[in-house]
Amino acid sequence: MSERGRRGKAFKAAFPHTIPIFAGFWFLGMTYGIYMNVSGFPFWYPMLMSLTIFAGSVEFVAVNLLLGAFNPFQVLAMTLMINARHLFYGLSMLDKYRGNGWKDFYLIFGMCDESFSINYTARIPEGIDRGWFMFFVTLLNHFYWFFGAALGGIFGSLIRFDTEGLDFVMTAMFVAIFMEQWMKEKEHVSSLVGVGVTLLCLVAFGADRFLIPAMAVILGVLTFLRKPLERRGECGD
Amino acid sequence: MTFAEQMITIGMVVLGTVLTRFLPFLIFPAGKPTPRYVRYLGKVLPPAVFGLLVVYCLKNVSLFAGSRGVPELVSIGVVAGLHLWRRQMLVSIAGGTACYMLLVQVVF
C-alpha cells in the first residue's frame, strides 16, 4: 500500500476514537478561551497557549499565573507538579511511542491525558499503521483543543451557552476507558489501588493538593506489591 | 507583567509540560535495556492511572451540598452498565453524558 493509502486508512480508524474528545475539547477549550478573554488577554494568547502547552488543567492555572506577579521558577515548579502524572504515561508508553520515526516526537509532545488513554487502550485493527493511528489521535485532539480555545478567545463574552453538564463527557470517557481496561485485565489489583488510593488522598488532602500524594502512594503500593503481582502475571500469561 | 514577562511565563509552562512528557524517554533511551522495575511499572501503572483520572474528574463533587453527587453517581453507573452490555466506547460515553445533562438540567 502507498504511504498515502496507509495514512488515509489510519485516519479513518483513528477519527471515531476521538469523537468524545471532540465533544469535550471544543467545549472545555472554549471555556478556557472565554476565561482568558474575560481575564483581559487578546484572542491570540489562548490560541498560542493551546498550541504550545496542550495540557488542559495547567492552562487554566496559567491564566492565574499570568495575572499574578512575575515569578518564572514558581511557574515552572507549579507546572511540574500539576503535570507530574505525565511521567507515569511516559513510563507506560516507552515501547509504543518508539520506532515511529519523527512521529515519536509529536506523540510525546502531545501526550495529554486523553491522547495517552486512547492510544494506550485502543484496539487498533489489523492492517492499520499504529504510528499513523496514534499520530492522528494526538493531532485531532490537539486540533479540537486549539479550535475551542480560539473560538472562546475570539468570541469570548458574546457566547452564551446552555450546555450545562456537557463537561461530564470527559468523566464519562475516563470511566469508559477504566471499564475497558477492567474488562481486559485478568486481575484488578492495580485498578483498585488507583481508585482507592486516590479517593483516600482526596479525602485526606483536599481537592487542591491530593494529586501528588496520590501518585506517590500509588507508586509505593505497586512497588510493595511487585513480587506477588509479577508472579501472578507470569502465571496468567 | 510586561509582554516579555508574560511570554517567559508561558514559556516556563511549556518547558515544564514538555519536561514531564519527555523525561521517561530520555532517562530510559531506546538503545539500552529498560530496568525490569521500570518495565513492571509501565505495565501496572496504566490501570491505576485510569482509576486516578476518574477520581480526578470528580474532585470538585461535594457529597454534602447541592445535588450531593447523585447525578455523577447515577451517570457513572449508566456508563459502566452500558459498557458491560455493549462494550462500545462511544455508546457508553454518549449515554452517560446525556443522562448527566438531563439530570442536572431537568431534575436537579
Side-chain angles (χ1 to χ4, degrees):
Chain A
M1 204 190 306
S2 69
E3 179 72 0
R4 245 184 105 175
R6 291 220 326 251
R7 237 182 310 172
K9 270 181 77 176
F11 183 85
K12 275 187 210 130
F15 175 67
H17 290 267
T18 68
I19 294 173
I21 319 288
F22 172 74
F25 269 17
W26 76 260
F27 175 73
L28 285 174
M30 200 159 86
T31 315
Y32 163 66
I34 293 172
Y35 186 34
M36 282 295 281
N37 180 299
V38 298
S39 303
F41 294 99
F43 70 94
W44 60 269
Y45 271 62
M47 289 169 79
L48 172 77
M49 289 166 72
S50 60
L51 266 187
T52 55
I53 305 172
F54 189 35
S57 43
V58 85
E59 282 177 57
F60 277 95
V61 175
V63 181
N64 284 316
L65 296 173
L66 281 170
L67 291 170
F70 180 58
N71 190 342
F73 293 103
Q74 194 204 330
V75 171
L76 184 63
M78 193 97 155
T79 308
L80 289 174
M81 248 165 32
I82 297 172
N83 286 336
R85 65 187 186 285
H86 295 149
L87 295 171
F88 284 11
Y89 304 167
L91 290 177
S92 312
M93 290 309 228
L94 283 175
D95 294 329
K96 285 195 168 81
Y97 281 1
R98 268 192 183 136
N100 307 298
W102 58 270
K103 293 194 266 325
D104 285 337
F105 182 83
Y106 180 67
L107 287 171
I108 299 169
F109 171 81
M111 191 170 54
C112 63
D113 301 329
E114 292 76 10
S115 303
F116 158 71
S117 306
I118 294 178
N119 284 336
Y120 185 82
T121 34
R123 288 169 276 168
I124 305 174
E126 287 283 322
I128 300 290
D129 185 284
R130 301 182 68 86
W132 279 114
F133 176 96
M134 297 190 293
F135 174 82
F136 283 126
V137 166
T138 310
L139 185 71
L140 283 166
N141 289 348
H142 200 170
F143 173 72
Y144 302 150
W145 178 250
F146 170 73
F147 165 75
L151 270 185
I154 294 167
F155 298 109
S157 43
L158 300 174
I159 299 171
R160 292 170 160 272
F161 41 111
D162 186 22
T163 43
E164 192 193 352
L166 182 61
D167 51 338
F168 190 77
V169 72
M170 297 325 297
T171 312
M173 191 194 76
F174 286 123
V175 173
I177 283 174
F178 180 80
M179 289 298 297
E180 180 66 28
Q181 173 70 31
W182 183 276
M183 290 160 80
K184 227 164 44 179
E185 66 197 10
K186 293 191 193 87
E187 42 117 1
H188 308 301
V189 176
S190 182
S191 296
L192 291 171
V193 166
V195 174
V197 166
T198 313
L199 268 178
L200 282 178
C201 288
L202 175 59
V203 173
F205 297 95
D208 292 328
R209 50 191 76 216
F210 73 103
L211 209 48
I212 297 287
M215 285 176 51
V217 177
I218 286 173
L219 201 60
V221 172
L222 289 177
T223 302
F224 182 73
L225 293 175
R226 181 177 168 194
K227 281 242 165 69
L229 278 180
E230 274 193 329
R231 209 174 305 139
R232 268 202 258 176
E234 279 157 23
C235 294
D237 296 335
Chain B
M1 258 191 237
T2 65
F3 178 74
E5 287 175 343
Q6 285 183 341
M7 289 303 123
I8 292 171
T9 301
I10 295 174
M12 285 312 224
V13 180
V14 175
L15 177 69
T17 305
V18 165
L19 265 180
T20 57
R21 286 180 181 163
F22 277 90
L23 212 56
F25 295 89
L26 297 176
I27 298 176
F28 306 108
K32 287 188 202 154
T34 311
R36 275 196 60 185
Y37 171 59
V38 174
R39 272 187 300 169
Y40 162 76
L41 285 181
K43 250 197 225 164
V44 291
L45 277 179
V49 166
F50 297 140
L52 176 137
L53 285 171
V54 169
V55 178
Y56 182 72
C57 286
L58 300 168
K59 66 180 193 305
N60 292 318
V61 176
S62 169
L63 295 178
F64 308 107
S67 51
R68 289 165 203 278
V70 176
E72 284 81 6
L73 202 68
V74 172
S75 309
I76 285 176
V78 169
V79 178
L82 280 173
H83 206 73
L84 284 171
W85 180 36
R86 305 298 302 268
R87 204 170 176 179
Q88 288 286 327
M89 212 56 122
L90 285 181
V91 174
S92 318
I93 296 168
T97 308
C99 167
Y100 184 79
M101 290 178 76
L102 203 73
L103 286 177
V104 293
Q105 287 186 15
V106 182
V107 184
F108 287 93

